[in-house]
Amino acid sequence: MKIKTIDWCNNKIKLIDQTKLPAKLEYIQIKDLTSLWQAIKSMKVRGAPALGAAAALGVYLGVRDSKAKSFVGFLKELDRVSRYLGSSRPTARNLFWGLERMCNVALKNKNKPVSVIKNMILKEAKRIIEEDRSSCRKIGQFGAKLIKKNDKILTICNAGALATIDYGTALGVIYRAKQQKKNIKVFSCETRPMLQGARLTTWELKKHNVDVTLICDNMAATLMAKGEIDKIIAGADRIAANGDTANKVGTYNLAVLAKFHKIPFYIAAPLSTFDFKIKSGKNIPIEQRPAEEVKSLFFKKPIAGMNIKVFNPAFDVTPNNLISAIITDRGIIKKPYNKNIKRIAK
Ligand code: MRU
Protein backbone atom coordinates (compact mmCIF):
# COMPACT_ATOMS: atom_id res chain seq x y z
CA MET A 1 0.00 0.00 0.00
CA LYS A 2 1.06 3.59 -0.41
CA ILE A 3 0.99 4.44 3.29
CA LYS A 4 3.37 3.18 5.96
CA THR A 5 2.03 4.31 9.31
CA ILE A 6 4.98 3.48 11.52
CA ASP A 7 8.52 2.30 10.89
CA TRP A 8 12.03 2.23 12.29
CA CYS A 9 14.26 4.63 10.33
CA ASN A 10 17.72 6.06 11.08
CA ASN A 11 17.61 4.89 14.69
CA LYS A 12 14.28 6.60 15.30
CA ILE A 13 10.60 5.77 15.12
CA LYS A 14 9.08 7.38 12.06
CA LEU A 15 5.32 7.74 12.12
CA ILE A 16 2.48 9.62 10.49
CA ASP A 17 1.08 12.27 12.81
CA GLN A 18 -2.57 11.29 12.48
CA THR A 19 -3.81 14.37 14.31
CA LYS A 20 -2.76 16.40 11.24
CA LEU A 21 -4.86 14.38 8.78
CA PRO A 22 -6.64 14.95 6.46
CA ALA A 23 -5.20 18.47 6.08
CA LYS A 24 -1.57 17.37 6.00
CA LEU A 25 0.36 14.12 5.61
CA GLU A 26 3.21 14.74 8.04
CA TYR A 27 5.76 12.26 9.33
CA ILE A 28 7.39 12.79 12.69
CA GLN A 29 10.54 11.23 14.12
CA ILE A 30 10.54 10.00 17.69
CA LYS A 31 13.77 9.34 19.50
CA ASP A 32 12.80 9.23 23.16
CA LEU A 33 10.36 7.38 25.32
CA THR A 34 8.41 10.35 26.69
CA SER A 35 7.70 11.68 23.19
CA LEU A 36 6.42 8.27 22.19
CA TRP A 37 4.16 8.07 25.27
CA GLN A 38 2.75 11.48 24.38
CA ALA A 39 2.29 10.52 20.73
CA ILE A 40 0.25 7.50 21.82
CA LYS A 41 -1.80 9.40 24.40
CA SER A 42 -2.59 12.25 22.00
CA MET A 43 -3.38 9.74 19.24
CA LYS A 44 -0.72 10.85 16.79
CA VAL A 45 -0.35 7.10 16.44
CA ARG A 46 -3.44 5.01 17.12
CA GLY A 47 -5.30 1.85 16.17
CA ALA A 48 -4.59 -1.41 17.99
CA PRO A 49 -2.02 -3.05 15.68
CA ALA A 50 -0.12 0.22 15.13
CA LEU A 51 0.00 0.63 18.90
CA GLY A 52 1.47 -2.87 19.19
CA ALA A 53 4.31 -1.89 16.85
CA ALA A 54 4.76 1.48 18.57
CA ALA A 55 5.00 -0.17 21.99
CA ALA A 56 7.54 -2.71 20.76
CA LEU A 57 9.77 -0.07 19.15
CA GLY A 58 9.24 2.08 22.24
CA VAL A 59 10.71 -0.62 24.46
CA TYR A 60 13.87 -0.50 22.39
CA LEU A 61 13.94 3.31 22.58
CA GLY A 62 13.59 3.03 26.34
CA VAL A 63 16.36 0.50 26.95
CA ARG A 64 18.89 1.14 24.23
CA ASP A 65 20.93 3.54 26.36
CA SER A 66 20.71 1.36 29.45
CA LYS A 67 23.98 1.22 31.37
CA ALA A 68 23.00 -2.00 33.14
CA LYS A 69 25.79 -4.55 33.26
CA SER A 70 23.80 -7.47 34.64
CA PHE A 71 20.62 -9.03 33.32
CA VAL A 72 18.83 -8.35 36.63
CA GLY A 73 19.57 -4.63 36.33
CA PHE A 74 18.53 -4.60 32.68
CA LEU A 75 15.27 -6.42 33.43
CA LYS A 76 14.38 -3.80 36.06
CA GLU A 77 14.77 -1.06 33.47
CA LEU A 78 12.84 -3.04 30.90
CA ASP A 79 10.02 -3.50 33.36
CA ARG A 80 9.94 0.23 34.16
CA VAL A 81 9.85 1.14 30.45
CA SER A 82 7.15 -1.40 29.77
CA ARG A 83 4.94 -0.22 32.64
CA TYR A 84 5.37 3.37 31.52
CA LEU A 85 4.30 2.62 27.95
CA GLY A 86 1.47 0.47 29.26
CA SER A 87 0.11 3.47 31.15
CA SER A 88 -0.51 5.41 27.91
CA ARG A 89 -3.76 3.81 26.73
CA PRO A 90 -5.38 0.84 28.48
CA THR A 91 -7.72 -0.82 26.00
CA ALA A 92 -5.85 -2.07 22.91
CA ARG A 93 -4.60 -5.58 23.65
CA ASN A 94 -1.92 -5.25 20.94
CA LEU A 95 -0.09 -2.59 22.91
CA PHE A 96 0.39 -4.96 25.85
CA TRP A 97 1.04 -7.89 23.52
CA GLY A 98 3.89 -5.86 21.97
CA LEU A 99 5.33 -5.05 25.39
CA GLU A 100 5.08 -8.68 26.53
CA ARG A 101 6.81 -9.91 23.40
CA MET A 102 9.77 -7.63 24.04
CA CYS A 103 10.03 -8.73 27.67
CA ASN A 104 9.87 -12.39 26.63
CA VAL A 105 12.76 -11.92 24.20
CA ALA A 106 14.84 -10.59 27.07
CA LEU A 107 13.82 -13.34 29.44
CA LYS A 108 14.53 -16.12 26.92
CA ASN A 109 18.03 -14.73 26.32
CA LYS A 110 18.96 -13.77 29.83
CA ASN A 111 22.30 -15.54 29.60
CA LYS A 112 23.46 -13.35 26.73
CA PRO A 113 25.23 -9.98 27.18
CA VAL A 114 22.92 -6.99 27.64
CA SER A 115 24.16 -5.44 24.36
CA VAL A 116 23.09 -8.58 22.47
CA ILE A 117 19.67 -8.60 24.17
CA LYS A 118 19.15 -4.97 23.15
CA ASN A 119 19.74 -5.88 19.51
CA MET A 120 17.41 -8.85 19.79
CA ILE A 121 14.67 -6.57 21.13
CA LEU A 122 15.02 -4.28 18.12
CA LYS A 123 14.94 -7.26 15.77
CA GLU A 124 11.76 -8.56 17.43
CA ALA A 125 10.09 -5.14 17.12
CA LYS A 126 10.94 -5.07 13.40
CA ARG A 127 9.52 -8.58 13.13
CA ILE A 128 6.21 -7.33 14.57
CA ILE A 129 6.08 -4.76 11.76
CA GLU A 130 6.60 -7.41 9.08
CA GLU A 131 4.14 -9.80 10.72
CA ASP A 132 1.45 -7.13 10.81
CA ARG A 133 1.86 -6.48 7.11
CA SER A 134 1.31 -10.11 6.32
CA SER A 135 -1.43 -10.78 8.88
CA CYS A 136 -3.52 -7.86 7.62
CA ARG A 137 -3.27 -9.26 4.12
CA LYS A 138 -4.43 -12.63 5.39
CA ILE A 139 -7.39 -10.98 7.12
CA GLY A 140 -8.15 -9.26 3.82
CA GLN A 141 -7.97 -12.53 1.93
CA PHE A 142 -10.23 -14.44 4.34
CA GLY A 143 -12.66 -11.57 4.80
CA ALA A 144 -13.07 -10.84 1.09
CA LYS A 145 -14.74 -14.26 0.74
CA LEU A 146 -17.68 -12.83 2.69
CA ILE A 147 -18.07 -9.89 0.31
CA LYS A 148 -20.37 -10.09 -2.70
CA LYS A 149 -20.28 -8.00 -5.87
CA ASN A 150 -21.82 -4.54 -5.39
CA ASP A 151 -21.98 -4.86 -1.59
CA LYS A 152 -22.48 -1.67 0.39
CA ILE A 153 -20.38 -1.85 3.53
CA LEU A 154 -20.57 0.28 6.66
CA THR A 155 -17.53 0.81 8.87
CA ILE A 156 -16.67 2.86 11.95
CA CYS A 157 -13.51 4.57 13.19
CA ASN A 158 -10.39 3.69 11.23
CA ALA A 159 -9.30 0.08 11.01
CA GLY A 160 -7.19 0.64 7.93
CA ALA A 161 -3.60 1.21 6.91
CA LEU A 162 -3.40 4.07 9.40
CA ALA A 163 -4.37 1.78 12.29
CA THR A 164 -1.87 -0.91 11.30
CA ILE A 165 1.41 -0.79 9.42
CA ASP A 166 0.17 -0.41 5.88
CA TYR A 167 -3.03 -2.31 5.03
CA GLY A 168 -5.66 -2.59 7.72
CA THR A 169 -8.03 -5.13 9.19
CA ALA A 170 -11.63 -4.08 8.41
CA LEU A 171 -10.33 -1.94 5.54
CA GLY A 172 -7.98 -4.76 4.55
CA VAL A 173 -11.09 -6.78 3.70
CA ILE A 174 -12.33 -3.86 1.64
CA TYR A 175 -9.00 -3.43 -0.18
CA ARG A 176 -8.91 -7.11 -1.07
CA ALA A 177 -12.53 -7.10 -2.26
CA LYS A 178 -11.77 -4.05 -4.38
CA GLN A 179 -8.75 -5.81 -5.85
CA GLN A 180 -11.09 -8.68 -6.75
CA LYS A 181 -13.18 -6.13 -8.67
CA LYS A 182 -16.24 -6.55 -6.51
CA ASN A 183 -17.37 -2.97 -7.06
CA ILE A 184 -18.07 -2.23 -3.42
CA LYS A 185 -19.27 0.97 -1.84
CA VAL A 186 -18.25 2.01 1.66
CA PHE A 187 -20.06 4.19 4.17
CA SER A 188 -17.84 5.60 6.89
CA CYS A 189 -19.29 6.72 10.23
CA GLU A 190 -17.63 9.99 11.21
CA THR A 191 -16.90 8.51 14.67
CA ARG A 192 -17.48 11.18 17.29
CA PRO A 193 -15.69 12.60 19.14
CA MET A 194 -12.23 12.08 17.57
CA LEU A 195 -13.60 11.70 14.03
CA GLN A 196 -11.31 8.90 12.90
CA GLY A 197 -13.94 7.88 10.33
CA ALA A 198 -14.23 11.37 8.86
CA ARG A 199 -10.59 12.38 9.08
CA LEU A 200 -8.77 9.10 8.46
CA THR A 201 -10.97 6.43 6.88
CA THR A 202 -12.34 8.65 4.11
CA TRP A 203 -8.84 10.00 3.47
CA GLU A 204 -7.22 6.62 3.10
CA LEU A 205 -10.07 5.01 1.14
CA LYS A 206 -10.09 7.92 -1.29
CA LYS A 207 -6.32 7.57 -1.66
CA HIS A 208 -6.88 3.95 -2.67
CA ASN A 209 -9.75 4.78 -5.04
CA VAL A 210 -12.47 3.15 -2.97
CA ASP A 211 -15.96 4.63 -3.33
CA VAL A 212 -16.62 6.12 0.11
CA THR A 213 -19.45 8.20 1.56
CA LEU A 214 -19.21 9.92 4.93
CA ILE A 215 -22.14 9.85 7.35
CA CYS A 216 -22.71 11.25 10.83
CA ASP A 217 -22.88 8.44 13.37
CA ASN A 218 -26.59 8.98 13.96
CA MET A 219 -27.43 8.36 10.29
CA ALA A 220 -26.52 4.67 10.31
CA ALA A 221 -30.03 3.48 11.22
CA THR A 222 -31.57 5.51 8.39
CA LEU A 223 -29.24 3.91 5.86
CA MET A 224 -29.97 0.44 7.19
CA ALA A 225 -33.73 1.00 7.12
CA LYS A 226 -33.45 2.10 3.48
CA GLY A 227 -31.71 -1.18 2.62
CA GLU A 228 -28.50 0.69 1.79
CA ILE A 229 -26.17 -1.45 3.94
CA ASP A 230 -25.37 -5.11 3.13
CA LYS A 231 -22.62 -5.66 5.68
CA ILE A 232 -20.90 -3.97 8.61
CA ILE A 233 -17.21 -4.53 9.26
CA ALA A 234 -15.38 -3.05 12.24
CA GLY A 235 -11.97 -3.54 13.77
CA ALA A 236 -11.22 -4.48 17.38
CA ASP A 237 -9.10 -3.23 20.23
CA ARG A 238 -9.48 -6.26 22.45
CA ILE A 239 -11.42 -9.48 22.02
CA ALA A 240 -12.19 -11.57 25.11
CA ALA A 241 -12.00 -15.36 25.11
CA ASN A 242 -15.76 -15.56 24.55
CA GLY A 243 -15.69 -13.23 21.52
CA ASP A 244 -17.01 -10.10 23.27
CA THR A 245 -15.25 -7.27 21.45
CA ALA A 246 -14.09 -3.84 22.55
CA ASN A 247 -13.83 -1.40 19.68
CA LYS A 248 -14.35 2.31 19.09
CA VAL A 249 -17.36 3.64 21.00
CA GLY A 250 -20.39 3.38 18.73
CA THR A 251 -19.51 -0.06 17.42
CA TYR A 252 -22.00 -1.62 19.84
CA ASN A 253 -24.72 0.74 18.55
CA LEU A 254 -24.09 -0.53 15.03
CA ALA A 255 -24.21 -4.16 16.13
CA VAL A 256 -27.60 -3.64 17.81
CA LEU A 257 -28.92 -1.89 14.71
CA ALA A 258 -27.53 -4.67 12.51
CA LYS A 259 -29.41 -7.31 14.49
CA PHE A 260 -32.69 -5.38 14.14
CA HIS A 261 -32.18 -4.93 10.40
CA LYS A 262 -30.83 -8.47 9.87
CA ILE A 263 -27.51 -7.24 8.48
CA PRO A 264 -24.33 -9.32 9.02
CA PHE A 265 -21.99 -7.67 11.50
CA TYR A 266 -18.32 -8.67 11.29
CA ILE A 267 -15.27 -7.92 13.40
CA ALA A 268 -11.84 -8.08 11.71
CA ALA A 269 -8.71 -8.44 13.84
CA PRO A 270 -5.42 -10.32 14.07
CA LEU A 271 -4.80 -12.92 16.75
CA SER A 272 -2.68 -10.37 18.62
CA THR A 273 -5.89 -8.50 19.51
CA PHE A 274 -7.33 -11.47 21.42
CA ASP A 275 -6.98 -11.51 25.19
CA PHE A 276 -7.33 -15.16 26.09
CA LYS A 277 -6.97 -14.38 29.80
CA ILE A 278 -10.11 -12.27 29.82
CA LYS A 279 -13.22 -14.43 29.94
CA SER A 280 -15.74 -11.82 28.84
CA GLY A 281 -16.05 -8.21 27.75
CA LYS A 282 -16.91 -7.15 31.31
CA ASN A 283 -13.22 -7.39 32.19
CA ILE A 284 -11.91 -5.25 29.34
CA PRO A 285 -10.51 -1.92 30.64
CA ILE A 286 -12.16 0.96 28.84
CA GLU A 287 -10.24 4.19 28.38
CA GLN A 288 -11.93 7.42 29.43
CA ARG A 289 -10.80 10.48 27.47
CA PRO A 290 -10.86 14.22 28.19
CA ALA A 291 -14.06 16.26 28.04
CA GLU A 292 -12.56 18.75 25.58
CA GLU A 293 -12.69 16.09 22.84
CA VAL A 294 -16.47 16.17 23.09
CA LYS A 295 -17.03 19.86 23.79
CA SER A 296 -14.43 21.88 21.95
CA LEU A 297 -11.61 20.11 20.11
CA PHE A 298 -13.07 20.22 16.60
CA PHE A 299 -15.29 23.26 17.01
CA LYS A 300 -14.61 26.96 16.51
CA LYS A 301 -16.57 27.69 19.68
CA PRO A 302 -17.22 25.24 22.54
CA ILE A 303 -20.52 23.44 21.97
CA ALA A 304 -21.31 23.11 25.67
CA GLY A 305 -20.56 25.14 28.79
CA MET A 306 -17.28 24.72 30.62
CA ASN A 307 -19.19 23.36 33.63
CA ILE A 308 -21.13 20.71 31.70
CA LYS A 309 -20.20 17.18 32.72
CA VAL A 310 -19.02 14.86 29.96
CA PHE A 311 -18.96 11.06 29.65
CA ASN A 312 -16.31 10.15 27.08
CA PRO A 313 -15.42 6.46 26.94
CA ALA A 314 -13.20 5.78 23.92
CA PHE A 315 -14.51 2.23 23.42
CA ASP A 316 -17.55 0.07 23.97
CA VAL A 317 -18.02 -3.67 24.11
CA THR A 318 -20.12 -5.55 21.60
CA PRO A 319 -21.43 -8.80 23.10
CA ASN A 320 -20.49 -11.90 21.13
CA ASN A 321 -24.10 -12.80 20.30
CA LEU A 322 -24.33 -9.71 18.07
CA ILE A 323 -21.24 -10.66 16.05
CA SER A 324 -21.87 -12.76 12.93
CA ALA A 325 -18.21 -13.80 12.59
CA ILE A 326 -14.71 -12.68 13.51
CA ILE A 327 -12.32 -12.43 10.56
CA THR A 328 -8.77 -13.18 11.70
CA ASP A 329 -5.38 -13.84 10.15
CA ARG A 330 -5.94 -17.56 10.87
CA GLY A 331 -9.36 -17.75 9.25
CA ILE A 332 -12.96 -16.84 10.00
CA ILE A 333 -14.26 -17.68 13.46
CA LYS A 334 -17.94 -18.44 13.86
CA LYS A 335 -20.11 -19.26 16.89
CA PRO A 336 -19.74 -20.86 19.39
CA TYR A 337 -16.90 -18.41 20.02
CA ASN A 338 -15.56 -19.87 23.25
CA LYS A 339 -14.80 -23.17 21.57
CA ASN A 340 -13.78 -21.86 18.14
CA ILE A 341 -11.52 -19.09 19.41
CA LYS A 342 -9.63 -21.63 21.49
CA ARG A 343 -9.28 -23.90 18.47
CA ILE A 344 -7.99 -21.24 16.09
CA ALA A 345 -5.51 -19.92 18.67
CA LYS A 346 -3.72 -23.26 19.04
O1 MRU B 1 -8.99 5.34 19.62
P1 MRU B 1 -8.41 4.67 18.42
O2 MRU B 1 -8.45 5.51 17.20
O3 MRU B 1 -7.05 4.09 18.69
O4 MRU B 1 -9.39 3.44 18.17
C1 MRU B 1 -9.13 2.57 17.12
C2 MRU B 1 -10.19 1.58 16.89
O5 MRU B 1 -11.16 1.52 17.60
C3 MRU B 1 -9.95 0.58 15.80
O6 MRU B 1 -11.15 0.15 15.27
C4 MRU B 1 -9.20 -0.62 16.36
O7 MRU B 1 -8.04 -0.23 17.04
C5 MRU B 1 -8.81 -1.57 15.29
S1 MRU B 1 -7.57 -0.96 14.24
C6 MRU B 1 -7.20 -2.11 13.08
Side-chain angles (χ1 to χ4, degrees):
M1 299 296 270
K2 295 167 193 157
I3 308 160
K4 201 159 184 195
T5 302
I6 177 162
D7 208 353
W8 181 253
C9 264
N10 301 326
N11 282 321
K12 285 174 225 133
I13 298 176
K14 180 181 173 195
L15 55 85
I16 296 176
D17 179 350
Q18 299 192 32
T19 60
K20 298 273 167 65
L21 286 169
K24 208 157 116 195
L25 175 60
E26 186 180 308
Y27 289 86
I28 51 172
Q29 320 267 348
I30 293 186
K31 51 180 189 307
D32 67 276
L33 196 60
T34 318
S35 307
L36 179 66
W37 190 95
Q38 275 157 358
I40 294 173
K41 187 76 179 173
S42 61
M43 294 167 69
K44 287 184 161 79
V45 58
R46 44 138 311 270
L51 291 177
L57 292 170
V59 168
Y60 179 69
L61 273 190
V63 298
R64 69 173 166 188
D65 296 325
S66 161
K67 303 268 180 296
K69 295 267 175 298
S70 71
F71 180 74
V72 176
F74 181 70
L75 193 63
K76 259 194 201 149
E77 285 186 41
L78 187 65
D79 188 54
R80 183 187 49 79
V81 166
S82 168
R83 277 172 203 274
Y84 175 63
L85 286 171
S87 70
S88 56
R89 295 190 74 191
T91 306
R93 169 63 196 146
N94 305 62
L95 191 149
F96 299 91
W97 167 88
L99 298 175
E100 286 161 21
R101 250 179 90 158
M102 298 305 107
C103 290
N104 285 338
V105 166
L107 287 170
K108 272 193 206 141
N109 295 285
K110 61 180 180 191
N111 295 325
K112 300 200 168 85
V114 169
S115 59
V116 173
I117 300 176
K118 285 183 191 172
N119 285 336
M120 294 180 94
I121 286 175
L122 178 59
K123 243 191 183 170
E124 186 75 358
K126 287 182 182 169
R127 199 171 291 137
I128 285 183
I129 291 180
E130 285 318 307
E131 281 176 14
D132 180 79
R133 299 182 69 221
S134 99
S135 75
C136 284
R137 281 157 179 82
K138 284 181 197 154
I139 291 170
Q141 183 69 23
F142 287 122
K145 290 187 186 138
L146 300 168
I147 310 299
K148 295 203 180 95
K149 269 201 166 160
N150 304 318
D151 264 354
K152 289 170 278 200
I153 300 168
L154 178 68
T155 191
I156 180 166
C157 195
N158 172 267
L162 290 166
T164 59
I165 301 301
D166 70 344
Y167 198 72
T169 56
L171 298 194
V173 174
I174 283 159
Y175 291 137
R176 186 70 188 126
K178 160 131 179 110
Q179 217 180 17
Q180 295 170 342
K181 307 211 177 327
K182 286 191 173 160
N183 189 38
I184 44 169
K185 282 195 164 68
V186 177
F187 288 91
S188 171
C189 289
E190 64 175 350
T191 318
R192 278 271 284 150
M194 289 302 280
L195 307 176
Q196 292 93 329
R199 295 187 299 107
L200 309 176
T201 294
T202 60
W203 178 85
E204 81 162 77
L205 288 179
K206 194 83 195 151
K207 213 172 172 60
H208 294 106
N209 296 316
V210 177
D211 181 327
V212 59
T213 304
L214 176 65
I215 61 164
C216 297
D217 300 323
N218 51 5
M219 295 165 189
T222 301
L223 271 181
M224 291 186 210
K226 283 161 78 76
E228 287 296 318
I229 302 295
D230 300 300
K231 264 141 213 155
I232 300 167
I233 314 180
D237 273 76
R238 197 184 287 238
I239 303 175
N242 70 347
D244 290 351
T245 296
N247 189 51
K248 181 51 55 196
V249 66
T251 304
Y252 174 37
N253 304 32
L254 296 181
V256 173
L257 288 171
K259 177 106 179 163
F260 183 82
H261 292 97
K262 300 188 174 46
I263 296 167
F265 176 91
Y266 300 115
I267 290 293
L271 227 64
S272 47
T273 302
F274 286 74
D275 190 342
F276 303 105
K277 290 195 192 119
I278 282 188
K279 276 195 192 146
S280 82
K282 281 194 197 112
N283 307 105
I284 300 179
I286 300 293
E287 177 186 11
Q288 299 291 326
R289 300 219 24 118
E292 61 132 351
E293 289 179 356
V294 174
K295 290 200 285 187
S296 56
L297 189 62
F298 289 106
F299 301 95
K300 277 194 179 145
K301 289 182 192 160
I303 56 162
M306 291 293 282
N307 56 350
I308 299 300
K309 287 191 285 180
V310 168
F311 174 56
N312 184 17
F315 303 96
D316 59 23
V317 176
T318 301
N320 59 15
N321 61 330
L322 297 181
I323 300 170
S324 313
I326 306 176
I327 307 159
T328 77
D329 41 351
R330 298 254 179 106
I332 294 173
I333 310 180
K334 295 209 170 127
K335 292 171 191 156
Y337 288 120
N338 259 321
K339 192 170 125 219
N340 293 337
I341 286 175
K342 222 178 254 167
R343 195 168 43 197
I344 217 152
K346 270 187 199 153

